[in-house]
Amino acid sequence: MSTIPTVTLANGVAMPQVGFGVFQVPDDDTEAAVSAALEAGYRSIDTAAVYGNERGVGRAIERSGIARDELFVTTKLWNSDHERPLEAYERSVELLGLDPDLYLIHWPTPGRDLYVAAWQGLEELYAAGRVRAIGVSNFLPEHLDRIIALGGTVPAVNQVELHPALQQRSVQAADARHGIVTEAWSPLAQGAVLADPAITAIASRLGRTPAQVILRWHLQQGRVVIPKSVTPSRIAENLDLFGFELTDADLGAIDALERDGRTGPHPAEFDAA
């Protein structure tokens, strides 16, 4: 398997372009899943405080024997902690057993309008050298504009739901304007696009799975992806993306699948604590 490519964040930090996500993986199952991912060759792991599995991620990393500087770990600040980001960060560090490389605001929760204060807390962590990069998740262009207008640190990453059925073109354009890397969560739309005829035809021609075709579509367009699975064979399959390439026609056919097919909450409305 080829070495995983990296993207360079605006501050010069290299981030693996393919990571392993653990959303909805119970903590008791997380250690085994992350261990399988690390064994398969993943070196980037994405978790969050609200997932309740940071401890399992930390156990897997500790027992892997892989040097810390070979790993890239992301976790996220939950909505109810926007007023106390430093305390929330320390809880995550305690559970993970390490300082993460990337710390994100999980949702803007515009109804409570506290994400600006939360961002300033993340900037404190970054200035103190506690994290290598800070960013956001599920931010729309108007949310990005508001924190960038502060004149401080520009988010390094914006992690959003993004897949063939929901391509977030205005968000991607805003990210690009500001030098922000777009990272796709739910890059396979929770399986909802795997049977699309355009994708299965490409997969059949290339001798690849539909999931591999979609993940390759993301990579060729410069995005970071964090596919999730708890099945070791699929975990490995989702990383085997570097022995083939999509044509411009393939990319266009997948681009044409946009249908506003959101599977998760809308950032302008989601305000859960």
Side-chain angles (χ1 to χ4, degrees), residues 79-80 82-83 105 107-116 138-140 142-143 146 266-273:
N79 305 344
S80 57
H82 280 193
E83 293 181 281
I105 296 177
W107 291 88
T109 59
R112 279 175 285 150
D113 201 29
L114 296 171
Y115 64 89
V116 171
N138 302 299
F139 271 44
L140 299 174
E142 58 264 34
H143 306 136
R146 188 158 177 208
H266 196 293
E269 302 165 356
F270 186 67
D271 201 29

Side-chain angles (χ1 to χ4, degrees), residues 120 140 245 256:
Q120 291 169 326
L140 299 174
E245 190 164 335

Side-chain angles (χ1 to χ4, degrees), residues 135-186:
V136 296
S137 181
N138 302 299
F139 271 44
L140 299 174
E142 58 264 34
H143 306 136
L144 293 174
D145 288 344
R146 188 158 177 208
I147 59 174
I148 290 169
L150 298 173
T153 309
V154 175
V157 171
N158 187 14
Q159 184 186 117
V160 296
E161 179 182 356
L162 203 158
H163 45 73
L166 182 73
Q167 296 176 34
Q168 301 265 32
R169 289 169 182 162
S170 64
V171 172
Q172 290 195 73
D175 290 346
R177 282 197 304 273
H178 297 298
I180 300 168
V181 169
T182 301
E183 180 176 15
W185 65 260
S186 193

Side-chain angles (χ1 to χ4, degrees), residues 38-54:
L38 294 173
E39 185 175 347
Y42 292 82
R43 290 298 179 265
S44 177
I45 308 297
D46 179 277
T47 184
V50 76
Y51 298 170
N53 55 22
E54 290 172 307

